[in-house]
Amino acid sequence: MNATVKVWDPLVRVFHWSLVLCFAVAWASADDWQDLHEIAGYTAATLIAFRLIWGLFGPRYARFRQFVRDPKVVAGYLSDMLKGREARYLGHNPAGGIMVVALLLGMGLLTLTGWLYTDLLWGEEWVEESHELLANLMLMLAGLHVAGVVLASVRHRESLVKSMITGRERVPGEADVN
């Protein structure tokens, strides 16, 4: 058995899987169960607010400053990925970090447009269309996120899904970025 180290704290893991659930419920209930759709949306908005706070004050791997990197670093990492020689990171790699930002921003805008449409601008077609467009973009981002997780899991021979359940990753080697 490989030695592991704690990376993901329980609140990050609960946040992650709760947001996945909220998005899935909201997506599935969008046309048929308005009350459930709204509950999922407001819950997602609350989760995002929590994550923004936790990204500033939480433990090391939860903090934005640990994984939000300069665009040049992200571009270099993506280039290395295409060549099959990207480094293994403990926590989010540069591509994962930018994906976290994109997902939080997208979900934030999605919940904002949902709230606007429900409470302030009911019947405004542009708000409804913006909300639907953002939902489709989020589905696309979620697919890219899952693809990135699968790719990193295969390349680095460790299950990132399992680490988001247990909170633990393989102890870093010499070439890994901590």
Side-chain angles (χ1 to χ4, degrees), residues 160-178:
L160 296 182
V161 173
K162 182 179 176 184
S163 74
M164 192 49 72
I165 294 169
T166 66
R168 303 187 74 78
E169 289 187 8
R170 188 176 70 240
V171 170
E174 277 186 31
D176 296 338
V177 179
N178 189 2

Side-chain angles (χ1 to χ4, degrees), residues 83-149:
K83 297 170 187 168
R85 59 177 185 166
E86 73 278 9
R88 175 181 173 261
Y89 280 71
L90 224 58
H92 291 105
N93 63 47
I98 198 72
M99 182 57 77
V100 169
V101 172
L103 288 167
L104 287 174
L105 181 62
M107 279 298 283
L109 290 171
L110 183 61
T111 60
L112 175 64
T113 57
W115 172 71
L116 287 173
Y117 188 70
T118 302
D119 292 336
L120 293 180
L121 300 172
W122 175 255
E124 291 289 334
E125 191 172 323
W126 71 270
V127 180
E128 181 179 18
E129 288 176 5
S130 297
H131 188 67
E132 289 177 10
L133 174 65
L134 285 164
N136 290 325
L137 288 173
M138 284 301 300
L139 191 60
M140 192 173 70
L141 281 175
L144 284 172
H145 173 59
V146 169
V149 166

Side-chain angles (χ1 to χ4, degrees), residues 24-40:
V25 167
W27 183 269
S29 64
D31 294 325
D32 299 318
W33 300 297
Q34 189 61 30
D35 288 345
L36 182 59
H37 184 78
E38 289 179 25
I39 290 168

Side-chain angles (χ1 to χ4, degrees), residues 11-12 15 45-59 62-65 104:
L11 293 179
V12 164
F15 159 80
T46 303
L47 287 166
I48 292 164
F50 158 76
R51 186 61 181 94
L52 293 175
I53 293 166
W54 204 238
L56 297 173
F57 302 107
R63 291 189 183 203
F64 297 126
R65 68 179 176 183
L104 287 174

